[in-house]
Amino acid sequence: MQHISLFSGIGGFDLASEWMGWTNVASCEINPFGRKVLDYYWPDAYHHDDIHTLTKELLIEKSNWNEQEPTILTGGFPCQPYSAAGKRLGKEDERHLWPEMLRVIRSVRPRWVVGENVRGI
């Protein structure tokens, strides 16, 4: 099983996938510290820095992802637009990045998707 993580943070989903025996082929995390952690623990994976510019073509070119093999895509897209603890601006919040995750899902067409977010969504 291949694993691609979006909004990867310091690799929670990546670590879980490793424990499952899956291969981490790519991640996407904008935070420099998070990318440092991902680079350290998964040096063979491709680590991208901006969900807005991640494409299927880039994954094919830069990672060892094989689109013919089963893939699970995970992501904990930002919760602030919907969290009860925030202003709940929804789609008006610049951190509303679910559409970017959906764009990648539609392009990559993984067998499974795991999305993590808050109740308010």
Side-chain angles (χ1 to χ4, degrees), residues 12-117:
F13 279 123
D14 305 79
L15 182 59
S17 71
E18 186 175 275
W19 288 345
M20 294 295 296
W22 303 340
T23 303
N24 289 304
V25 295
S27 69
C28 186
E29 174 56 47
I30 198 163
N31 180 277
F33 178 75
R35 281 196 316 277
K36 236 183 223 189
V37 173
L38 295 164
D39 284 336
Y40 180 82
Y41 285 104
W42 296 282
D44 296 332
Y46 169 61
H47 305 293
H48 193 72
D49 65 352
D50 187 350
I51 190 70
H52 297 96
T53 59
L54 183 63
T55 64
K56 177 181 177 179
E57 294 74 24
L58 202 56
L59 288 169
I60 291 169
E61 176 187 340
K62 303 266 187 177
S63 76
N64 60 355
W65 175 61
N66 179 346
E67 64 181 311
Q68 303 305 315
E69 295 295 320
T71 301
I72 184 165
L73 185 143
T74 61
F77 51 99
C79 66
Q80 294 91 335
Y82 298 96
S83 174
K87 295 180 182 176
R88 303 197 74 188
L89 297 175
K91 293 177 183 177
E92 302 306 315
D93 192 312
E94 66 184 22
R95 297 166 294 185
H96 174 64
L97 295 176
W98 163 247
E100 291 298 324
M101 183 167 171
L102 183 58
R103 176 187 57 79
V104 174
I105 291 167
R106 286 179 171 157
S107 168
V108 170
R109 301 184 53 83
R111 186 167 292 177
W112 295 280
V113 174
V114 176
E116 181 271 330
N117 209 283

